[in-house]
Amino acid sequence: MSTAILTGQPVPGSSIEGDLRELGFRVRPAADAADAETQLAQVPGGERVAVIDARFVGHLHALRLGLTDPRFPLAAVPGAVTAQPAGRQALTRAMARQTSAAGTAGGATTLADSLADRIVTALDEAGAEVHRPELGSLVAEVPADPQARNEARQAVAAVDDEAIRLKSAVKARDGFFTTFCISPYSRYLARWCARRGLTPNQVTTASLLTALIAAACAATGTRGGFVAAGVLLLFSFVLDCTDGQLARYSLQYSTLGAWLDATFDRAKEYAYYAGLALGAARGGDDVWALALGAMVLQTCRHVVDFSFNEANHDATANTSPTAALSGKLDSVGWTVWVRRMIVLPIGERWAMIAVLTAVTTPRVTLIVLLIGCAFAATYTTAGRVLRSLTRKARRTDRAATALADLADSGPVAEALTRVTRGLPGGTAPVAALIGGAAVTATAALTGFGGPWTLVAAAVHALTSAAAVARPLKGALDWLVPPFFRAAEYGTVLLLAAEADVNGALPAAFGLVAAVAYHHYDTVYRIRGGAGAPPNWLRRAAGGHEGRTLLVALLAALLTAAQFTVALTVLAVAVALLVLVESVRYWVSAHRAGSPAVHDEGETA
């Protein structure tokens, strides 16, 4: 329960008390600043508390945005201010200053102006960060006289706040398919869910279950199963849009919810790839290499996005001619949608997969997916390289730390770093590329069972250590983590394909999926402000270079059949290790009341 302290004399005909109770507040009246301070002291420290002027006139949704968003310790709209437990101390100090000021002014307690607004001013002067939501055409004000009050009420009646609330439930930046084919009706599904008390996490879970059923239908290998899989995959995506819209509609943001939404998206898509491979196998077609290739390409695409954004998140002088040109192109309406579509975001990608599954074969579906993702990856990566080369950004220590965390270097690289001299500035991506290319090319060209892949993996470990020996602050240093991902995943894929025995590629698929989960989990922890997973987990998982060395060693020492068993055991071990720690962390963070997050993010 939250508490609202309503200051000043009640206004006849005002709906403010009812509005506050509808938003989940218990209402306590306060006659003046001193009384409000007393009421504030009586509210338990673990509760949200708000101070609202009794003369407030505005839309219910304006109050909801200003007083109930869980992401911000302090927030305000005209005539109202709120604090969560993390912002309680700052609010208490600001209230005390206002009470003292009222006493100094000769005991003036009539609140001729708004106490809530004066508190916000005091918070600003103290350097506290107060969130002020964008209200647009929503009304929120404290009228000074009856005429102004009447005009404010007319302004409230002229604007449909429910229509605005529904519109704001849709992500501001989304792909063409999502914007025009899903959101026009999924927002109403989100409202339906909200009115029945469903939570975003419940809808997220329903989306996951639907996608898993779709994957199971694809795994049947029948035409009816493929058609059902395509339909269910699209419905899963509708639910995937609905959970975020429900979170925005009802302001139900949470740390756990952001993690579930992000990780379940990856789990749904990659489980579906596996379903396609199983279905194709029932028809006598082995497409596991294509399914694993699609997962590798998509994961590497994402790490390019993550690394580039982290490298430039807080960089200074962060402009470039390329970025300026991109901004100009976005000012031309049709180019915005074309550019969003060609990067194959999740909406376009899933729609394409669903349709192709229903009308073609798994092989065609995966080949088209690989071609589309390869083009999208080339387009986005080339644009980001151009931006990096033409901007004169100075990157921070925080960005360098984030890139080092994304690199996922293990104990082998750590040991080699102690004896390896750092590379000259700007050459870290070159070293990462050379080492990664060496191990993947050797795995592809020398066949299964030879020692040369192991030698190349050792060279890769050495170049990897040299690449991260110095802080990654160069213009293109954000390419280092993607090069590491491509080398590790590609080596596993190639060696499993070269083994050419039943079960090798599915085992490799499981191993890459487990390791990719670990890498995604690292990203989401960094985005949530928690930093990377603990060092013991990174070391226990071996780091990217350690796992690459281990897989190369297994291929050199074991027969193809034994290698398949070893990959399976390694996949299970890594999955258990990272999943247990990940679930433990996110659940404990949620229970501990970590700041709620809601990442609009990029179109995934």
Side-chain angles (χ1 to χ4, degrees), residues 154-362:
Q154 291 176 2
V156 170
V159 175
D160 184 353
D161 74 333
E162 178 60 20
I164 293 175
R165 187 182 179 190
L166 270 174
K167 183 178 180 180
S168 64
V170 177
K171 188 186 293 186
R173 179 182 174 87
D174 228 328
F176 181 88
F177 179 77
T178 305
T179 300
F180 294 103
C181 300
I182 303 296
S183 293
Y185 58 88
S186 62
R187 69 184 74 181
Y188 295 100
L189 180 58
R191 181 172 66 181
W192 183 89
C193 292
R195 290 177 175 177
R196 282 153 184 81
L198 297 177
T199 67
N201 290 352
Q202 291 171 331
V203 178
T204 300
T205 303
S207 176
L208 172 66
L209 294 175
T210 304
L212 293 179
I213 295 172
C217 289
T220 63
T222 64
R223 178 52 52 193
F226 289 146
V227 172
V231 172
L232 287 171
L233 186 65
L234 284 177
F235 183 60
S236 174
F237 182 65
V238 171
L239 293 176
D240 183 55
C241 295
T242 301
D243 63 3
Q245 291 165 358
L246 174 58
R248 286 181 286 270
Y249 181 84
S250 56
L251 300 183
Q252 296 184 74
Y253 305 124
S254 70
T255 299
L256 183 63
W259 171 67
L260 288 176
D261 183 51
T263 55
F264 282 8
D265 277 352
R266 305 285 77 79
K268 287 181 285 189
E269 186 165 4
Y270 299 155
Y272 193 83
Y273 294 171
L276 287 174
L278 289 170
R282 288 180 178 273
D285 189 12
D286 186 356
V287 298
W288 274 106
L290 295 176
L292 179 50
M295 181 167 65
V296 169
L297 181 56
Q298 189 60 30
T299 304
C300 290
R301 234 185 106 192
H302 282 144
V303 80
V304 166
D305 296 341
F306 299 147
S307 295
F308 178 81
N309 291 334
E310 288 302 326
N312 294 282
H313 175 70
D314 52 3
T316 56
N318 200 12
T319 59
S320 75
T322 307
L325 175 61
S326 178
K328 290 180 180 179
L329 288 174
D330 279 347
S331 66
V332 182
W334 64 272
T335 65
V336 174
W337 297 115
V338 170
R339 295 173 71 209
R340 291 186 190 179
M341 290 173 67
I342 63 177
V343 300
L344 210 61
I346 189 170
E348 277 74 1
R349 192 167 69 250
W350 282 25
M352 181 184 74
I353 294 171
V355 171
L356 289 175
T357 300
V359 302
T360 66
T361 65

Side-chain angles (χ1 to χ4, degrees), residues 492 496 501-512 514 550-551 554 558 560-576:
V492 174
V501 295
N502 289 334
L505 282 167
F509 190 97
L511 176 59
V512 171
L550 177 58
V551 172
L554 293 173
L558 304 177
Q562 293 170 336
F563 177 73
T564 299
V565 174
L567 276 188
T568 303
V569 172
L570 183 59
V572 172
V574 172
L576 288 175

